[in-house]
Amino acid sequence: MLTDNYINGKFQPAIEGATDQVVNPATGKVIGDVASSSAADVDAAVQAAAAAFPEWSAKTPRERSEILHKVADIVEENVAELSELECENVGKPVSIIEFEMDQLCDNWRFFASAGRFLDGKAAGEYLEGYTSMVRRDPIGVVGSIAPWNYPLFMATWKLGPPLAVGNTVVLKPSELTPYTTLRLAELLQDVLPPGVFNVVCGQGQAAGVPLVQHPDVAMVSLTGSVAAGKSVAQEASDSLKRVHLELGGKAPVIVFDDADVEAVVANLRDNSFYNTGQDCTAPCRVIAGSKVHDDFVAQLTDAAGSVVTGDPTDEDTEMGPLVSDVQLDRVSGYVDRAAEAGAEITIGGGPRDSEGYFYQPSVVVGVDQASEIVQREVFGPVITVQAVPDEETALAWANDCDYGLAASVWTNDVGRAMRMARGLRFGTVWVNDHIPIISEMPHGGFKQSGYGKDMSLYALDHYTELKHVMVKH
Ligand code: NAD
């Protein structure tokens, strides 16, 4: 296992010699010790990225595109090994990891080409005697900070867009899940010039905060919790850095009385428990029409009870553990408090009796709109179901939440689907589905789910500065 930071094309231990233990969540056993960086390591990485910026940003879009397509080739060639690492470090079942590996390979291909398609207004004589044109210039060094739920996938979102348009990057993976990011750095050692991509491992406070505060970092891009997002926005405000925030979610699933209940249940069985519910867009907050509610709860309870949970290396396993003991306590706490407040747990409702950080697939009903379990991100295999009287209330309840990342509407009435799609204050709205994402379309939040988009050409916009050049003649 790799253990060191990756700075200026070389692996090196943390300057102060500190390390963090990394654990396999399926067993609770330590699998390695990885550099725990401080401000000094961050500074070395930022200096390397700043030194690499002039040459990388001066390359033509085609040159950068060719290099990034090589990155995509190498990632694709090493998917099997990267999947194994992710399974061991995050507890992802081997049976589900193909999906995210396929997505992230496609993301690399998309970003590699997308850097050639920046756009802007036509050059022209908007004032007599002058020609105006716009440029989209790279910003400089981007400090990228990734979460633990999809370590390599999120590293792709943190690296692809900024690199494609000529920025250089210092990436801090989560202290819980550094391995695939470090292996990616090693695989790309001969592909990306030294300093273009640097990895600094370590904790949010000790390594993340100095990265955000560093005067030579031009922009910070974080995917993580709302709490971390607020801290990043505050720390970045001192130097007025640009901030890109992809934060938490609490996705409503609005099931109208005319919906295909079996299809909704099948979707939730696949997607609410995918990655053990540790997904910012996971369908977790069902708002069901009062006519279908009881049938829906019965079918969902059966479906949740049939999810095969256990050893992530077993091909038959559908759901693995939560990522850490802290996450297990967090999820247990939410469900226990909901039960104490009077909610009915129709299935699950507790940890599994085994080693590792397993929690049972759970369904919680009879919950109030204002209750903690409806309002806060649980980030575990837990679905709440509320019975709703009408369309207006369904929309109001869906929007009555601090988060605004993703939502779905299930109905056979096209007019109602369009009314809901317009009214929902979420960055993605699916109609009669929940979860598919594609490289060409934006992903990002409204409200406290953050700002700035990942994926699509819109992601690239955020990593460039728009410049007006006006020539007098
Ligand atoms: P987290 O906020 O605890 O940590 C995310 C990263 O930020 C880690 O690398 C951590 O070390 C770092 N960090 C924490 N505090 C920081 C600070 N004050 N300054 C700088 N860096 C700091 O999040 P997590 O628990 O790793 O990930 C789960 C969260 O991520 C969930 O809320 C989930 O919804 C969110 N998420 C969002 C998206 C999205 O696209 N919107 C995607 C995946 C995950």
Side-chain angles (χ1 to χ4, degrees):
M1 292 281 199
L2 292 160
T3 57
D4 293 342
N5 289 330
Y6 180 70
I7 298 175
N8 207 22
K10 295 196 183 72
F11 284 94
Q12 53 193 72
I15 291 167
E16 291 173 9
T19 55
D20 288 317
Q21 285 188 332
V22 182
V23 167
N24 177 339
T27 61
K29 301 217 164 68
V30 174
I31 47 177
D33 295 290
V34 170
S36 188
S37 306
S38 63
D41 303 290
V42 168
D43 185 52
V46 173
Q47 283 183 31
F53 177 71
E55 208 177 312
W56 181 250
S57 58
K59 287 190 186 300
T60 62
R62 175 178 174 172
E63 286 168 330
R64 280 196 298 269
S65 170
E66 285 171 356
I67 293 173
L68 294 179
H69 275 292
K70 276 189 206 147
V71 172
D73 290 342
I74 287 176
V75 172
E76 247 168 32
E77 284 158 17
N78 290 277
V79 153
E81 184 204 337
L82 291 163
S83 301
E84 261 179 48
L85 269 181
E86 212 78 304
C87 288
E88 186 175 7
N89 194 180
V90 193
K92 288 174 190 285
V94 287
S95 66
I96 69 159
I97 195 146
E98 202 181 323
F99 163 77
E100 67 193 73
M101 288 293 160
D102 176 64
Q103 287 283 328
L104 72 88
C105 287
D106 187 58
N107 285 167
W108 272 115
R109 291 262 171 245
F110 177 81
F111 295 137
S113 295
R116 305 177 76 169
F117 294 98
L118 296 181
D119 61 8
K121 292 255 176 283
E125 289 65 50
Y126 296 93
L127 187 65
E128 201 180 324
Y130 295 84
T131 297
S132 283
M133 65 195 85
V134 293
R135 301 174 51 87
R136 279 199 172 272
D137 290 345
I139 292 179
V141 177
V142 175
S144 285
I145 304 176
W148 47 256
N149 60 339
Y150 295 106
L152 189 64
F153 199 178
M154 293 302 102
T156 304
W157 290 9
K158 301 285 105 184
L159 288 167
L163 293 180
V165 293
N167 301 288
T168 53
V169 178
V170 176
L171 173 61
K172 193 198 87 57
S174 166
E175 56 275 30
L176 300 178
T177 55
Y179 286 125
T180 44
T181 306
L182 288 173
R183 179 67 180 128
L184 178 69
E186 189 178 45
L187 289 169
L188 302 183
Q189 221 163 358
D190 297 330
V191 179
L192 291 170
V196 167
F197 163 38
N198 306 273
V199 183
V200 174
C201 300
Q203 311 259 345
Q205 285 302 318
V209 172
L211 182 59
V212 179
Q213 290 174 335
H214 200 292
D216 296 333
V217 169
M219 170 175 170
V220 178
S221 174
L222 166 86
T223 297
S225 60
V226 171
K230 287 180 179 171
S231 161
V232 165
Q234 273 165 5
E235 296 293 347
S237 69
D238 254 358
S239 49
L240 287 178
K241 286 185 176 65
R242 184 176 297 188
V243 176
H244 178 108
L245 299 174
E246 291 290 357
L247 307 178
K250 185 77 187 172
V253 179
I254 305 167
V255 186
F256 285 106
D257 289 331
D258 65 344
D260 178 348
V261 170
E262 277 179 29
V264 190
V265 169
N267 182 286
L268 267 55
R269 189 191 181 284
D270 284 350
N271 296 315
S272 304
F273 307 117
Y274 184 86
N275 212 33
T276 322
Q278 301 165 122
D279 183 304
C280 49
T281 58
C284 59
R285 181 163 66 102
V286 177
I287 297 170
S290 45
K291 288 201 188 105
V292 287
H293 174 271
D294 292 356
D295 179 33
F296 176 79
V297 168
Q299 288 195 38
L300 184 65
T301 301
D302 285 349
S306 72
V307 174
V308 181
T309 308
D311 177 1
T313 63
D314 185 333
E315 288 286 347
D316 294 332
T317 296
E318 294 174 292
M319 195 182 92
L322 292 162
V323 77
S324 65
D325 51 351
V326 172
Q327 191 61 16
L328 181 60
D329 286 349
R330 192 167 162 239
V331 171
S332 301
Y334 278 120
V335 177
D336 292 351
R337 287 190 295 278
E340 279 159 27
E344 183 194 350
I345 317 290
T346 65
I347 189 138
R352 212 177 68 136
D353 188 16
S354 66
E355 65 172 6
Y357 312 129
F358 291 89
Y359 197 85
Q360 300 169 55
S362 303
V363 177
V364 181
V365 303
V367 285
D368 291 337
Q369 175 62 20
S371 62
E372 179 194 53
I373 202 157
V374 168
Q375 292 291 327
R376 302 264 67 87
E377 184 182 42
V378 175
F379 226 53
V382 179
I383 305 172
T384 60
V385 188
Q386 300 166 263
V388 73
D390 53 46
E391 180 180 323
E392 198 185 349
T393 314
L395 181 61
W397 283 0
N399 283 336
D400 171 31
C401 182
D402 289 342
Y403 301 99
L405 192 58
S408 64
V409 183
W410 299 76
T411 179
N412 283 318
D413 179 337
V414 175
R416 173 188 273 158
M418 297 308 291
R419 286 194 296 279
M420 297 298 286
R422 187 190 60 206
L424 285 164
R425 306 279 301 148
F426 293 82
T428 298
V429 175
W430 291 283
V431 176
N432 292 331
D433 208 333
H434 193 120
I435 228 65
I437 52 173
I438 40 175
S439 299
E440 293 83 354
M441 286 290 146
H443 166 89
F446 282 27
K447 301 196 285 187
Q448 290 195 24
S449 291
Y451 37 78
K453 301 295 171 194
D454 281 322
M455 301 200 296
S456 79
L457 287 172
Y458 298 105
L460 272 63
D461 287 352
H462 215 213
Y463 290 95
T464 59
E465 287 281 14
L466 199 58
K467 183 190 280 174
H468 172 202
V469 178
M470 197 171 189
V471 182
K472 188 174 180 186
H473 44 80

